Amino acid sequence: AQTVTQSQPEMSVQEAETVTLSCTYDTSENNYYLFWYKQPPSRQMILVIRQEAYKQQNATENRFSVNFQKAAKSFSLKISDSQLGDTAMYFCAFMKLFPNNAGNMLTFGGGTRLMVKP
Amino acid sequence: DADVTQTPRNRITKTGKRIMLECSQTKGHDRMYWYRQDPGLGLRLIYYSFDVKDINKGEISDGYSVSRQAQAKFSLSLESAIPNQTALYFCATSVERGSTQYFGPGTRLTVL
């Protein structure tokens, strides 16, 4: 079974600064996807960014980027120019791809609570 | 209007009661999922369905059942609720294998 570990339960950052959230995962699979989801106080789960394991290039989405190290099984999220609205829980998630189009199961880490301070 | 909706948004019930949580989507996705969120544990998969005739157990299905009434509707039932089923429940949808899952707003369930 896959496991996803987020070793930082809580983090804080000053507005406009950069912060990096860590995520490691354990799998024997070679083909998979990785995600970061954001959960603000409204509790809605919002997709932040997605990475395909077969792509070497790190995904970016505006102020959000990842550092994907496949050999090290590491998938960190960098938030640049942090804004107050970035305050939320952030979840790293792993998606294993079953053969024969059987499914796409998400396994989540325990989350990192990020506080952006003015 | 939201693409994935869940009803109710909040529910308090008593031990032993039967509870149904409902999920509807207007995204036209075939695949639907039910997750449970507990503090410090992230989300865990309860059941998933790839079409109306295909329903599968997830990681923590014991004590739960589901019904896929139509492509757009997927319900989760607790036949006899117990306090350790107190949690935040999310419905999600996706298009195909490997695609992103989109989540509903969640239902906070408290079992006394």
Side-chain angles (χ1 to χ4, degrees):
Chain A
Q2 283 66 231
T3 58
V4 179
T5 302
Q6 295 179 246
S7 59
Q8 306 149 315
E10 294 185 357
M11 296 188 71
S12 64
V13 64
Q14 293 296 132
E15 193 176 9
E17 293 186 347
T18 295
V19 64
T20 298
L21 309 183
S22 300
C23 173
T24 58
Y25 57 94
D26 184 22
T27 185
S28 58
E29 304 294 326
N30 190 51
N31 189 18
Y32 52 86
Y33 294 79
L34 294 162
F35 302 82
W36 278 98
Y37 281 89
K38 167 184 176 181
Q39 186 178 40
S42 66
R43 79 191 188 199
Q44 178 76 46
M45 293 290 288
I46 302 167
L47 177 69
V48 175
I49 204 164
R50 162 196 168 108
Q51 174 81 42
E52 291 86 347
Y54 64 85
K55 290 187 177 178
Q56 293 186 339
Q57 185 174 7
N58 289 323
T60 62
E61 192 69 43
N62 299 317
R63 297 182 295 106
F64 298 88
S65 61
V66 298
N67 183 4
F68 174 47
Q69 301 290 328
K70 190 172 183 179
K73 298 179 183 177
S74 172
F75 184 60
S76 60
L77 175 69
K78 185 171 80 171
I79 306 174
S80 303
D81 186 25
S82 296
Q83 301 176 359
L84 297 178
D86 295 334
T87 293
M89 281 288 288
Y90 286 82
F91 291 97
C92 177
F94 173 98
M95 178 184 286
K96 174 182 176 180
L97 297 181
F98 286 85
N100 303 321
N101 203 33
N104 49 344
M105 318 310 298
L106 274 177
T107 300
F108 285 83
T112 295
R113 186 176 302 279
L114 177 67
M115 173 72 72
V116 180
K117 298 179 179 179
Chain B
D1 289 339
D3 295 321
V4 185
T5 57
Q6 293 183 232
T7 55
R9 294 294 311 278
N10 297 281
R11 180 72 183 268
I12 300 173
T13 191
K14 294 182 178 180
T15 297
K17 294 290 187 180
R18 184 178 188 275
I19 294 296
M20 178 180 285
L21 309 183
E22 298 185 339
C23 176
S24 296
Q25 53 112 349
T26 59
K27 298 181 79 67
H29 291 172
D30 285 327
R31 299 172 180 231
M32 299 187 73
Y33 311 80
W34 275 104
Y35 288 91
R36 165 178 173 161
Q37 183 180 19
D38 296 284
L41 293 179
L43 279 72
R44 292 179 292 168
L45 183 65
I46 306 172
Y47 269 95
Y48 59 101
S49 170
F50 293 154
D51 62 43
V52 176
K53 297 179 180 179
D54 180 70
I55 292 178
N56 304 277
K57 293 182 177 180
E59 179 187 0
I60 53 165
S61 60
D62 287 349
Y64 302 95
S65 62
V66 291
S67 173
R68 185 81 184 265
Q69 301 95 324
Q71 185 208 35
K73 296 183 182 296
F74 192 36
S75 300
L76 176 72
S77 293
L78 288 67
E79 297 301 325
S80 179
I82 56 177
N84 76 1
Q85 291 178 313
T86 293
L88 190 55
Y89 290 85
F90 285 98
C91 174
T93 73
S94 69
V95 174
E96 60 188 4
R97 179 173 179 262
S99 65
T100 299
Q101 293 184 16
Y102 296 93
F103 288 81
T107 294
R108 184 170 298 283
L109 176 66
T110 302
V111 183
L112 302 177

